[in-house]
Amino acid sequence: MTFPIERVRSAFPALAITDGGEARIYLDNPAGTQVPQHVVDAISSCLIGSNANLGGYFPTSLAAGSVVDDAHQAMADFLGARSADEIIIGANMTSLTFHLARSICRDFKPGDEILLTRMDHEGNVAPWLTIAEDLGLVVKWLPFDTETWQVEPDALEAALSDRTRLIALNYASNLTGSINDVKALTAMAKAAGALVFIDAVQLAPHRSIDVQDIGCDFLACSSYKFFGPHLGIIWGSTEVLRNLPAYKCRCVGEELMGKFETGTPQIELLAGLTATVDYYAWLGKQIGGDGSRRAQILAAFDAAHAYERPLAGQLIEGLLSIPDVTIHGITNLNRIDHRVPTVSFSYNGHKPAFVSKALSDQNIFIWDGHNYALEVVRQLGIPEDEGIVRIGIAHYNTEDEVDRALECLAAIGK
Ligand SMILES: Cc1ncc(COP(=O)(O)O)c(C=O)c1O
């Protein structure tokens, strides 16, 4: 079944906006995506019809309670969780990780070891570095391999010890785009008795996630990267969450849902979050997916991945054909399934900010800088104050948009 790109595009009102007659080309997706009208409507109708705090007997409060429950269930379906109780929703991935790191590491002892990677975004580095400093933990770093662009099992094997308490690992890099074999790495870390915290922020817009299959303890994502509102979500396994102490108000109970969510939730955004998951279910139905919401989500991801794959190939081949461009990540198209379509590169002779601005001048939105992948640029020896140029495809982009970006990039060198 062909991907219904026209129907998809018409679901996103932002894609039709022009500036001075010039269409907007959104290739800034790794930092945030546009949202379907249905998500906008869910947020505004929540603010109109369900706008109250939680716990009352009146209709607006009861409706707000349902909004919160529904969002947790939606994310449980999205991530393949066993129950909505395993879902923690908050402002964004980084804040939630800082918050949860305190609970996760509370009983760690000075000299206990945590493993971080050189491939991760600061959101999965700084919270652990901070708590390590507070508690006297030892931080060990796993490099990524610059041939495979992944964290290799050998590197993990060498770093594990009987003091390893936790590994914080990304599913896909927000700079190189490469995907780690998180299932295999999780199995190794679990066998050594460590907890596994996975940052799936960059993977979540592109591939389906099955937390039970991975076997990790925690997995984080952010819905504004997958066509939703600005929220962060952490899944934690029931067994681990139940035993974790929570930093919470005294009047909040020990029931899992809410235990790690401090204060009043962003209720209207949670309404948008459910609508975001339902967007995937809608997409799944468009391409013949059937059955439960989870089944439709999986069908949507299969179709979106099949649609994105050639676009990623077109982008990579196009970039490789421009003299002076060096891609930092997988370029072998036989290995394209080991990456998400987030492609970073240097353009010899042209500063990243110059390239990014040149494309912005043509209404093509892309990024430059280190994009918070500080450790990645350090390992690659790229100047931190300059970073790279980054183009990221989402499943609402088209071949014409990728061509247009490539033309503009080629023109810079002429
Ligand atoms: C891989 C990765 N992890 C974490 C984050 C941080 O997410 P948030 O903005 O929700 O804190 C980002 C944001 O770009 C990211 O790309």
Side-chain angles (χ1 to χ4, degrees):
M1 145 86 63
T2 42
F3 190 71
I5 184 64
E6 287 313 325
R7 255 174 293 158
V8 164
R9 284 183 69 82
S10 57
F12 289 82
L15 303 187
I17 297 175
T18 56
D19 301 290
E22 195 74 58
R24 292 182 177 178
I25 298 184
Y26 299 92
L27 291 168
D28 57 329
N29 300 299
T33 43
Q34 302 307 309
V35 299
Q37 180 68 48
H38 181 60
V39 171
V40 179
D41 292 345
I43 294 171
S44 61
S45 76
C46 177
L47 282 169
I48 294 167
S50 319
N51 197 7
N53 215 320
L54 305 173
Y57 297 102
F58 41 95
T60 46
S61 181
L62 293 171
S66 301
V67 166
V68 172
D69 291 348
D70 291 351
H72 288 79
Q73 185 55 57
M75 280 311 298
D77 290 349
F78 190 77
L79 297 173
R82 261 181 297 160
S83 116
D85 288 345
E86 297 184 321
I87 301 296
I88 303 164
I89 305 175
N92 50 58
M93 177 275 180
T94 306
S95 305
L96 273 182
T97 306
F98 267 106
H99 173 56
L100 227 65
R102 243 173 122 199
S103 294
I104 294 171
C105 299
R106 192 160 102 160
D107 295 331
F108 291 7
K109 302 280 175 288
D112 279 350
E113 296 172 0
I114 61 174
L115 308 185
L116 308 181
T117 87
R118 302 271 182 217
M119 193 172 154
D120 270 84
H121 180 283
E122 275 296 285
N124 201 27
V125 172
W128 309 112
L129 284 181
T130 312
I131 200 80
E133 200 177 322
D134 288 350
L135 301 180
L137 309 175
V138 174
V139 174
K140 287 186 173 174
W141 289 96
L142 303 184
F144 55 92
D145 185 299
T146 42
E147 299 254 310
T148 63
W149 297 95
Q150 294 166 311
V151 172
E152 290 299 318
D154 291 356
L156 176 57
E157 192 64 58
L160 286 168
S161 83
D162 56 2
R163 300 281 324 244
T164 312
R165 302 295 307 272
L166 172 110
I167 172 169
L169 170 73
N170 66 5
Y171 208 148
S173 161
N174 71 312
L175 192 143
T176 66
S178 41
I179 299 174
N180 277 318
D181 185 350
V182 290
K183 191 173 172 182
L185 297 171
T186 295
M188 289 172 65
K190 300 287 299 171
L195 290 168
V196 179
F197 186 104
I198 293 180
D199 173 359
V201 171
Q202 280 299 321
L203 185 100
H206 306 289
R207 304 291 179 85
S208 60
I209 294 171
D210 185 336
V211 287
Q212 293 184 61
D213 182 55
I214 298 167
C216 54
D217 300 289
F218 302 95
L219 182 138
C221 57
S222 307
S223 49
Y224 69 93
K225 310 278 193 189
F226 55 87
F227 317 112
H230 287 91
L231 288 172
I233 301 101
I234 291 184
W235 165 87
S237 79
T238 303
E239 299 72 36
V240 177
L241 287 182
R242 222 176 243 143
N243 296 321
L244 274 193
Y247 288 82
K248 62 180 181 59
C249 297
R250 289 173 298 171
C251 39
V252 172
E254 282 298 316
E255 307 81 58
L256 280 192
M257 199 190 290
K259 180 176 162 188
F260 295 95
E261 295 174 355
T262 48
T264 306
Q266 301 94 318
I267 300 168
E268 64 276 17
L269 300 187
L270 268 63
L273 181 57
T274 303
T276 307
V277 173
D278 286 339
Y279 160 73
Y280 276 94
W282 169 84
L283 178 57
K285 265 196 237 159
Q286 301 300 301
I287 48 101
D290 178 356
S292 65
R293 178 161 62 181
R294 174 78 181 155
Q296 288 161 355
I297 292 167
L298 296 180
F301 273 108
D302 281 349
H305 178 211
Y307 175 78
E308 286 176 3
R309 192 190 283 119
L311 289 185
Q314 178 193 353
L315 176 60
I316 290 168
E317 286 193 317
L319 287 172
L320 289 175
S321 73
I322 301 175
D324 296 324
V325 164
T326 308
I327 296 178
H328 306 292
I330 295 170
T331 53
N332 176 351
L333 297 191
N334 294 325
R335 292 196 65 234
I336 202 158
D337 285 344
H338 293 283
R339 63 143 55 245
V340 293
T342 294
V343 183
S344 297
F345 56 94
S346 300
Y347 201 150
N348 195 19
H350 307 284
K351 296 221 161 151
F354 170 84
V355 176
S356 158
K357 184 165 183 319
L359 267 70
S360 297
D361 291 345
Q362 306 290 323
N363 238 21
I364 303 171
F365 307 168
I366 65 168
W367 286 107
D368 64 280
H370 54 60
N371 298 308
Y372 279 53
L374 270 187
E375 292 301 330
V376 182
V377 293
R378 285 179 186 166
Q379 183 178 323
L380 294 175
I382 293 168
E384 261 170 53
D385 55 343
E386 292 184 8
I388 43 74
V389 188
R390 184 177 70 175
I391 294 185
I393 290 168
H395 68 243
Y396 51 52
N397 289 124
T398 64
E399 221 178 291
D400 285 351
E401 290 179 327
V402 174
D403 267 344
R404 182 94 184 83
L406 288 167
E407 270 164 33
C408 291
L409 286 168
I412 289 174
K414 288 185 181 146

